[in-house]
Each structure stands twice: as structure tokens, then as C-alpha cells.
Amino acid sequence: MDNTNILEMRNITKVYPTGLVANNHVDFSLRKGEIHALAGENGAGKTTLMKVLFGLEKPDEGEIILSGASVSIHNPIDAIHKGIGMVHQHFMLIPSLTVAENIVLGDEPGKYGVLDNRMASEMARTIGQKYNMNVDPEDVVADLPVGIRQKVEILKALHKGADILILDEPTAVLTPQETKELFAELKGLRDKGHTIVFISHKLNEVKELCDRITILRDGKDVGVYDVKDVSEQKISSLMVGRNLEVNTQKDPVEPGRIVLDVRNLNKENESGRQVLHDINFQIRAGEIVGIAAVEGNGQKELSEITAGLEGFSEGDITVSGTSIKNKTIKEIRGMGVSHVPEDRVAVGLVGDASVSDNLITYVYDKKEYSSHGLLDRKKIAGYARDLREKFLVKSKDGTEAVRMLSGGNMQKVVVAREFSTNPQLIILNQPTRGIDVGATEFVRQKVLELRSRGSAVLLVSADLNELFELSDRLMVMFDGRITADIKDVGQVTENELGEYMLGLKKQEGM
């Protein structure tokens, strides 16, 4: 690694119209051929800083120095032309197109507006071979597993000439085997002289992969460190400004009566493909059952069916003995079911509504908050304020649109609303995805509080550490089937779990 800076962001300040100071005189630098971690709590300014670098946001102050010259980056196309690429957490591929078509998009070979498919495939194959990321150019992206789609995103950026590559939470949906493969590929890119910005909340991965780390807190940079010189505990305390317990402490609880009973559940999606095959399991009061699966293997459908977001025709689901079949979401919630969805923005929140209005979504029509059809705004404001304080939501006064909050604080709004109803069953789908170590610690402790109060918990998570720390039992899904039901979580390794998740192994009797 060359110690000369190839990129410097100096004194970057970004203030949003709401008055939120996202970046406050931040300095950030990159050296050629390094993997540089960017860490911080949600709302610390990481995303804004990278949006400035990629041309998605314009800074109010500061300058960017690239290869010794001051530059202005007006938009992502401008960034790409300057050799800066970004792989977003939610991929930007077109599923109906082939790998080759996605990679050459915007730079299509051909004449008179007609794509030369043979040449496109050759270009995609050549870039894949160059970086040892071989993907069949003819494959349709919609048919690919998530780990391969990520490779296509990286290859697309490299094809467009990215020397600096920004990766936003790249391992969030990968198995241990896929993560190991990705790390080998990223080290290969580094060895070829590429520079990588690695945004992650998984500090063990930062320690394993990265050369240096810049830590942001409350919009300011609080230091740049050689990764080998700082522990995970030190990084987390610098991020949040206090010492944290990295491992969640879980007290023993004796499970009680059966709360959730899923029997012979089958489900076809809109295109007629069967996404759930004969699913059977139970969850008891005071029990957390975790589901481990690679994205797209039926876990999302299972959680959404149980929450009432999707219907089903074959099999049955009962909550405390009562079937939820053909019931509305409101009726299912009335049975004591709460749900933290995978997509907090699209499903969990009303973005333009205020923080307070999002918090009272399911209680506004209760007698204590309304009278003769009129809302008691004073009582509602007090209720919402109590929840904001209890769940540590960083909000000015609750009147701002919830979309103006950071990702971690939006998640806390969803968690506050769903946990505060004392559910007998709570369905959690990726409850800590994309949130920082401090918010993650907080959410996990709240999950354990629900467990200790006798709630049954269905936990879907791509974070294997989270599943190991929280789950009393672990189920693995592959291709819409349960392939393992692990009663003693401490007796299975991450690697073995990964084999179940990839369909390489199946528990006897499943």
C-alpha cells in the first residue's frame, strides 16, 4: 500500500434544510491500494459523506482533492468518469436483463441502437476473468443468488473504470462461505491497485479485512486508525462515545404454552412458483426461534404470511389456538401480533408522516386517545414523547417527517411502536440490518425483554451473530423448505449453518 493519499475530502460540511448537520467539517482520506473501513452509528454521517463523494449530495463547505487536483463531483456519472464507483446495499441491477446486459448498461456495444449481444458477453467475460469473479454472462440476473448479484454489481463498477470502490454493507445478506469468497476477491482488487471503502457495522469483518479505519460520531470525524492497532471494543466505544457490551447477555427462560403453530403451510407466488413447501413448526411463550437462510429462500414470505401481509390457501397458522386464515392485518394485530418488517421505509413507516404519527399508528383509535371520533392530540403527543424517550429515538420534537431521521432512528421508531403493545407474538425480519453497534445493542436487549415477559419471537436475520446470540432454537430454510431444526444452538458452528443455508447439507429427518 502506497502511503500517498490519492483522495482527500477536506472540511466537508453538509447541512440539510431541516437544520440537521450531517457532516461537520469532516476530513477523510484514501491511499492507493488500501481497504479503508468507514464506521459510525447511524446518523453519524457515513452515508452523507459517501453521497458527497459519489455526487449524490453537494457539500455546503469543503473540497475534494483527487490525485492532487481539486475536483467538483456534480452527480454519479461525474463520479464514475473520475474513477469512483459505488455498490449500494440494495442492488441497482435490472433483474430481467442478463449479466452481460447489466454490466455494459450505459456503455453498450453495437450499431444504430442495436446491442451486439456477442460482444457484450465477451466484455463481461473478460472483466470477470481479469478480477477472478467469473459469472456466466448469459444468466438472467433475476435467477441468480444474492452473492452472485453482488459480484455483477462490482464487475459493473469495474467495467466503468472504478479505481475507488465504495461498498455499503456488502456482507449484510451473505452466508459465511460467500463472505469469505467476497473478502478474497476484495483483497485481489486491492493487490491490483484498487482502493476500497468498506462500510460495515460488523466489527469482526473490519478487523479481518481492512487496513485503516475512519470513525465518525455525531457528524464529526473522531480519528483515523490502523486497524491492527485497535480492538473491536475500542472501535465501538469510539463510535458511540461510551463503553459497550459487544456480546448480548441472555438469561435462561423456561418456554411456556404454544403461541404460534404453523402446520403444513404451502405457498405459491404470483408467477406460480412454490416458495414454501410443507412448513411445520411451533413457538412457545418466552421462546425465540431464529430462521437462518440466504435471501430468497422463503423466509420473507413466511414472516409476511404470519404477519398477515400475504394470504395462504394450504395449511394453517394459529396464534394461541386461533387461526389467522382470511383475517385482516388489523384483526391479526388484535390477536396480539406485532411485526417489524424487513423494509422499514417501504412497509414499516409512512415517510412523509411525522415521527409521532408513525408511533401512534396502531393506538390512535383506542378510547384513551380519541373521543367521539376526534383525536386527543395532547394525550397522543405525550404517548409519542414517552416512546421516543424510552427507545432513545433522536428526534427534535417528534413533528418532523420520519424520513428525515437516520436509518437507525427510523428502525427505533418501528421497534418502539411494535414492542410497546406487549405482543404475545412478535415477528422480526432483519431487526438490526444496517444499524450501528449502539442501536443494535439496544434493539437486541429490547427483544430479550419481550422474551422475559413471555412473548413468542420469530426472528429472521441475515446476521448469524445475532441469530446465535438471541435464538433459543434455530431453523434453517433452503428453497422454501426447513432443512434443519437445531434445538441446541451452542452445538452448531457458523460454517455448518452456512452449509445448511446453501443446501449442501440437510438434517436427518427433514
Side-chain angles (χ1 to χ4, degrees):
M1 178 177 64
D2 189 339
N3 286 335
T4 305
N5 290 333
I6 60 163
L7 174 102
E8 292 181 58
M9 302 179 76
R10 298 176 181 170
N11 203 37
I12 299 296
T13 298
K14 175 65 183 178
V15 183
Y16 286 105
T18 58
L20 173 69
V21 182
N23 290 147
N24 189 351
H25 303 287
V26 174
D27 291 331
F28 178 74
S29 64
L30 293 172
R31 296 171 181 168
K32 184 174 177 60
E34 75 167 334
I35 302 178
H36 194 120
L38 184 59
E41 290 191 281
N42 283 94
K46 306 185 304 296
T47 301
T48 299
L49 188 66
M50 289 301 100
K51 281 183 175 180
V52 168
L53 180 56
F54 195 57
L56 290 166
E57 294 283 4
K58 184 175 175 59
D60 297 297
E61 293 181 42
E63 66 175 335
I64 299 173
I65 310 294
L66 184 61
S67 299
S70 181
V71 297
S72 295
I73 302 175
H74 302 287
N75 52 52
I77 294 175
D78 202 13
I80 289 165
H81 287 160
K82 289 178 169 63
I84 300 168
M86 186 168 184
V87 176
H88 300 270
Q89 187 174 345
H90 301 289
F91 302 150
M92 311 295 281
L93 302 171
I94 300 176
S96 59
L97 298 184
T98 65
V99 168
E101 288 167 339
N102 271 280
I103 287 175
V104 303
L105 195 63
D107 183 33
E108 299 91 340
K111 292 182 178 179
Y112 313 114
V114 178
L115 176 69
D116 186 330
N117 284 297
R118 185 192 61 78
M119 189 176 291
S121 291
E122 187 57 37
M123 291 166 74
R125 189 173 286 108
T126 299
I127 195 80
Q129 289 172 347
K130 178 179 179 181
Y131 292 103
N132 197 29
M133 286 188 269
N134 297 312
V135 183
D136 190 334
E138 308 301 325
D139 283 347
V140 176
V141 164
D143 299 331
L144 298 176
V146 65
I148 303 299
R149 292 190 196 191
Q150 188 177 69
K151 287 186 185 184
V152 177
E153 280 278 27
I154 294 172
L155 289 172
K156 184 174 73 171
L158 293 170
H159 173 72
K160 289 176 168 49
D163 290 316
I164 296 171
L165 194 60
I166 305 163
L167 301 178
D168 187 7
E169 296 285 345
T171 66
V173 292
L174 302 184
T175 65
Q177 288 85 348
E178 290 170 323
T179 297
K180 184 178 180 181
E181 187 175 337
L182 173 67
F183 283 8
E185 291 160 352
L186 295 181
K187 289 172 182 176
L189 287 176
R190 177 182 61 188
D191 294 344
K192 283 183 165 64
H194 291 273
T195 300
I196 297 163
V197 180
F198 184 79
I199 303 172
S200 179
H201 293 115
K202 298 181 179 180
L203 302 186
N204 60 319
E205 294 181 354
V206 168
K207 288 288 291 179
E208 180 182 345
L209 179 69
C210 299
D211 303 298
R212 292 195 301 155
I213 182 170
T214 294
I215 301 171
L216 302 184
R217 186 170 73 235
D218 295 330
K220 300 177 181 178
D221 58 281
V222 294
V224 185
Y225 301 87
D226 288 331
V227 169
K228 61 180 172 51
D229 295 335
V230 285
S231 66
E232 290 182 35
Q233 191 72 39
K234 175 69 173 177
I235 295 170
S236 65
S237 64
L238 285 166
M239 284 167 56
V240 302
R242 66 185 192 279
N243 290 324
L244 281 175
E245 281 289 336
V246 176
N247 295 314
T248 307
Q249 302 300 312
K250 186 171 73 171
D251 296 326
V253 171
E254 188 67 35
R257 62 186 175 83
I258 294 171
V259 176
L260 177 66
D261 193 355
V262 179
R263 296 185 182 179
N264 307 316
L265 181 66
N266 290 275
K267 171 73 176 180
E268 288 186 356
N269 63 14
E270 292 178 353
S271 62
R273 184 174 74 87
Q274 192 160 348
V275 292
L276 293 176
H277 300 262
D278 200 31
I279 302 295
N280 289 273
F281 69 95
Q282 298 173 331
I283 307 180
R284 296 178 176 273
E287 182 180 38
I288 299 174
V289 173
I291 295 183
V294 176
E295 191 170 290
N297 280 278
Q299 70 272 39
K300 180 181 178 183
E301 288 83 358
L302 176 60
S303 65
E304 292 188 348
I305 287 170
T306 308
L309 272 66
E310 290 190 33
F312 62 96
S313 54
E314 292 186 41
D316 201 7
I317 299 174
T318 61
V319 176
S320 296
T322 302
S323 175
I324 69 167
K325 186 176 280 189
N326 300 322
K327 283 187 164 45
T328 65
I329 293 174
K330 186 169 185 176
E331 287 171 334
I332 293 171
R333 294 193 69 90
M335 297 165 64
V337 178
S338 289
H339 177 218
V340 174
E342 178 181 22
D343 191 334
R344 56 182 169 250
V345 177
V347 181
L349 298 165
V350 181
D352 289 329
S354 71
V355 173
S356 294
D357 283 349
N358 273 277
L359 286 167
I360 59 99
T361 305
Y362 299 118
V363 299
Y364 73 93
D365 57 349
K366 294 186 180 297
K367 285 189 296 184
E368 58 263 46
Y369 302 112
S370 64
S371 178
H372 306 295
L374 297 175
L375 297 178
D376 188 329
R377 281 290 175 185
K378 187 175 181 180
K379 284 186 178 179
I380 285 173
Y383 174 82
R385 182 177 60 251
D386 289 345
L387 282 185
R388 293 200 315 273
E389 291 174 357
K390 182 179 178 183
F391 286 84
L392 309 179
V393 177
K394 291 182 181 176
S395 164
K396 187 172 60 177
D397 57 9
T399 61
E400 69 268 52
V402 75
R403 61 180 169 78
M404 300 307 298
L405 301 185
S406 69
N409 279 294
M410 283 195 281
Q411 187 72 355
K412 285 182 183 178
V413 171
V414 177
V415 166
R417 183 186 66 215
E418 300 299 320
F419 284 35
S420 61
T421 58
N422 293 317
Q424 60 171 329
L425 169 67
I426 187 159
I427 302 147
L428 305 174
N429 196 336
Q430 315 299 343
T432 62
R433 176 181 285 176
I435 66 174
D436 58 78
V437 65
T440 293
E441 174 206 31
F442 181 82
V443 170
R444 289 178 183 173
Q445 289 297 340
K446 290 297 180 186
V447 173
L448 293 176
E449 285 178 21
L450 283 180
R451 170 181 176 265
S452 67
R453 295 206 300 263
S455 294
V457 181
L458 176 62
L459 170 64
V460 179
S461 180
D463 186 334
L464 298 190
N465 285 334
E466 181 163 83
L467 289 173
F468 277 114
E469 286 187 15
L470 294 182
S471 302
D472 299 300
R473 272 174 48 220
L474 261 179
M475 296 192 307
V476 185
M477 293 184 69
F478 176 75
D479 194 27
R481 296 174 172 86
I482 295 174
T483 56
D485 188 348
I486 300 158
K487 305 287 194 297
D488 189 346
V489 177
Q491 295 304 304
V492 65
T493 65
E494 278 199 16
N495 197 62
E496 187 179 4
L497 200 63
E499 289 178 343
Y500 285 129
M501 291 166 69
L502 292 169
L504 303 174
K505 191 173 181 179
K506 188 176 181 181
Q507 200 175 56
E508 191 174 339
M510 289 291 162

